Amino acid sequence: MLKCSMAGWMPQCPFTLDQQQESKHTLHSTDCERFQDINSSWLTDQEDPPPVQPSVVADMRSGADLESCLEECMSTEMSESVPPEVRPKPAVPAKPSHVAPPSSVPFVPSPQGTGGEGQGSGRGSALLGYIGIDTIIEQMRKKTMKTGFDFNIMVVGQSGLGKSTLVNTLFKSQVSRRSTNWSRDEKIPKTVEIKSVSHVIEEGGVKMKLTVIDTPGFGDQINNENCWEPISKYINEQYEKFLKEEVNIARKKRIPDTRVHCCLYFISPTGHSLRQLDIEFMKHLSRVVNIIPVIAKSDTLTLDEKTEFKQKVRKELEACGIECYPQKEFDEDMEDKSDNDKIREAMPFAVVGSDKEYQANGKRILGRKTPWGVVEVENPNHCEFSLLRDFMIRSHLQDLKEVTHNIHYETYRAKRLNDNGGLHPISSSGQDTQESNL
């Protein structure tokens, strides 16, 4: 009975279709009271309900949502003890208050509109707790302390420029060849010789196998034509030795590294310009090894002479297309470029070497004593030794090894394998081949 009465009242409904759709989810108590008053007055005036017309049935079907609401109102009228239920729109669930990102890791919200939910590559995620990723540095440190590492440095220059003394000063120990097995009766060789000596240095629990390669006889002859060839041959031989070990099927767990990581080239402090020998050597060797030029015994030059000489050397190197380490093309980012630009501007380093200590200003220092005072080796106002040491050992030692392996060695390896058809390198003797295969 109530359903027919409601259907008869449907055409006179004061709500439009849009209002009916808005009332799909929510129904307020004021609307229910209004419906009740209208329905009661209509039942009083009409004794028999009019027949349901087809058009009215169609309207009923189109307004099915409103009909359900009216049925709820009529049921509420019959049982007044139950208040109408208000259904608010579902809200977006918030992040639990007890879950918060750790203070050490800032929360980074996911970017909106960058793709679907499954495309999460490149998005930053905030860690909800400590994982321990940062311990990888400590793990690497412990492993390096156990195994140690190698560093091979070559010194090239005329006799009497203080090559051995500077190396001893760099590592504060007697590591040069002259300090171990050199006698004053030793004569200058007629040709360039390659002699090396190795030491194990330990500092702070870190072990380093240091190999110093000396080149006696370089530039000391009347005819110095192609005197750099024995040095170039030695460098390539170390690459070849490493390559043979690397291409073996059953190779060693740790291949001995005898490759030259750094070459200190000593420039005579003439104060004029580079010699032709200096230019030819650096032009040929800069392609296969990291060259760092230094002005030896710079205390023989005045401050103005030293500044002018450094500028001349930089201009000549640039004019000849010689790139010393660190090369501009190997700068990885703007930070590296900024740091390396300062180093390139300071090259060549004007250094003074000394392994003797003197008393000055109430403390023991390394220096060279002169009639007018003591030249302090580690004083930046006296020479650039400290700048060279910090650059070569404290900031770029690992990079020197990486550039040697990734650039110079890879260049040699690619050329060697291409020339050999991609096969196992052919050794010069059967004995070498047998040792390599073993």
Side-chain angles (χ1 to χ4, degrees):
M1 178 65 181
L2 288 173
K3 190 169 186 179
C4 293
S5 301
M6 290 165 55
W9 179 76
M10 284 293 293
Q12 287 82 20
C13 181
F15 294 94
T16 63
L17 182 59
D18 295 335
Q19 292 172 330
Q20 295 173 22
Q21 294 177 352
E22 290 179 357
S23 63
K24 182 177 180 180
H25 299 291
T26 59
L27 186 64
H28 301 285
S29 60
T30 55
D31 296 332
C32 292
E33 294 173 359
R34 183 178 180 185
F35 294 157
Q36 294 170 9
D37 295 341
I38 295 174
N39 190 44
S40 298
S41 61
W42 186 86
L43 289 174
T44 305
D45 296 339
Q46 301 290 336
E47 294 181 358
D48 296 325
V52 180
Q53 302 296 330
S55 60
V56 176
V57 176
D59 292 338
M60 287 172 56
R61 293 177 179 175
S62 62
D65 295 332
L66 183 59
E67 182 181 349
S68 61
C69 293
L70 292 175
E71 287 181 0
E72 184 180 354
C73 291
M74 295 305 296
S75 62
T76 305
E77 181 182 12
M78 298 175 66
S79 57
E80 298 179 354
S81 61
V82 182
E85 181 182 1
V86 180
R87 298 180 181 177
K89 294 182 179 180
V92 178
K95 188 176 182 179
S97 58
H98 66 279
V99 179
S103 57
S104 60
V105 181
F107 177 73
V108 181
S110 299
Q112 300 295 331
T114 57
E117 298 232 351
Q119 302 174 353
S121 59
R123 293 186 178 183
S125 299
L127 302 180
L128 301 181
Y130 179 72
I131 299 177
I133 301 175
D134 55 351
T135 60
I136 185 65
I137 305 299
E138 181 66 17
Q139 297 172 36
M140 295 170 64
R141 189 186 71 84
K142 289 182 178 180
K143 189 171 183 179
T144 304
M145 290 179 66
K146 289 181 180 180
T147 60
F149 62 96
D150 303 316
F151 186 66
N152 308 317
I153 180 173
M154 174 182 280
V155 290
V156 181
Q158 283 182 302
S159 300
L161 292 180
K163 300 187 296 295
S164 301
T165 304
L166 183 66
V167 173
N168 293 339
T169 310
L170 274 173
F171 298 98
K172 293 188 176 181
S173 58
Q174 302 296 319
V175 295
S176 65
R177 181 185 61 87
R178 294 170 64 105
S179 302
T180 54
N181 55 5
W182 178 79
S183 62
R184 296 188 177 273
D185 296 334
E186 182 179 348
K187 298 181 180 180
I188 298 176
K190 296 181 180 180
T191 58
V192 178
E193 298 179 358
I194 308 295
K195 296 184 178 181
S196 63
V197 58
S198 298
H199 302 271
V200 177
I201 302 176
E202 184 174 355
E203 183 182 30
V206 180
K207 295 181 181 180
M208 179 181 73
K209 182 182 178 182
L210 175 66
T211 302
V212 180
I213 303 105
D214 198 0
T215 56
F218 176 83
D220 296 330
Q221 312 302 324
I222 297 177
N223 182 10
N224 292 310
E225 184 179 1
N226 298 331
C227 63
W228 58 82
E229 289 184 352
I231 300 174
S232 178
K233 180 182 177 182
Y234 175 84
I235 294 174
N236 289 328
E237 284 176 352
Q238 308 315 307
Y239 291 150
E240 180 73 13
K241 186 184 298 185
F242 193 89
L243 178 61
K244 288 179 181 179
E245 294 287 348
E246 193 178 50
V247 299
N248 280 340
I249 297 176
R251 57 185 179 182
K252 299 177 182 178
K253 182 178 179 181
R254 186 184 179 192
I255 301 176
D257 190 2
T258 59
R259 298 169 297 182
V260 179
H261 301 128
C262 174
C263 176
L264 284 178
Y265 186 77
F266 287 72
I267 300 173
S268 180
T270 60
H272 301 291
S273 61
L274 291 174
R275 299 178 302 166
Q276 189 63 29
L277 175 61
D278 302 330
I279 295 175
E280 291 297 326
F281 174 86
M282 288 188 278
K283 184 181 294 184
H284 286 83
L285 271 295
S286 61
R287 305 167 187 170
V288 296
V289 71
N290 299 316
I291 293 181
I292 300 177
V294 296
I295 299 175
K297 296 186 176 181
S298 64
D299 55 330
T300 60
L301 301 172
T302 64
L303 295 178
D304 294 338
E305 290 174 345
K306 182 172 63 177
T307 302
E308 184 178 357
F309 188 43
K310 285 165 63 73
Q311 292 177 354
K312 287 182 179 179
V313 171
R314 282 197 295 267
K315 289 181 180 179
E316 289 188 53
L317 292 177
E318 185 178 357
C320 297
I322 301 172
E323 284 197 34
C324 300
Y325 178 85
Q327 296 88 339
K328 294 182 179 179
E329 57 184 316
F330 302 148
D331 294 339
E332 296 182 356
D333 50 32
M334 293 304 297
E335 182 180 358
D336 284 352
K337 184 178 183 303
S338 177
D339 295 340
N340 292 338
D341 283 343
K342 296 178 182 178
I343 296 171
R344 285 186 281 262
E345 291 174 1
M347 282 188 176
F349 298 101
V351 298
V352 175
S354 176
D355 50 8
K356 295 182 180 180
E357 290 186 346
Y358 296 95
Q359 189 79 17
N361 299 325
K363 58 181 181 179
R364 304 288 295 178
I365 60 169
L366 291 172
R368 289 171 56 88
K369 191 173 182 180
T370 62
W372 52 86
V374 176
V375 179
E376 300 179 20
V377 171
E378 297 179 309
N379 189 340
N381 297 323
H382 291 189
C383 69
E384 296 173 344
F385 169 81
S386 59
L387 182 60
L388 171 66
R389 179 197 58 200
D390 294 346
F391 155 64
M392 194 176 74
I393 299 177
R394 301 182 181 180
S395 64
H396 283 68
L397 189 146
Q398 180 61 28
D399 189 67
L400 282 165
K401 293 168 62 70
E402 290 179 357
V403 171
T404 300
H405 179 78
N406 298 328
I407 306 299
H408 299 306
Y409 169 69
E410 286 296 326
T411 301
Y412 175 86
R413 177 179 176 275
K415 182 178 182 300
R416 184 72 172 86
L417 295 180
N418 286 333
D419 294 344
N420 205 30
L423 301 176
H424 190 285
I426 301 174
S427 57
S428 57
S429 63
Q431 181 179 1
D432 293 342
T433 304
Q434 183 178 4
E435 293 176 357
S436 178
N437 291 333
L438 288 175

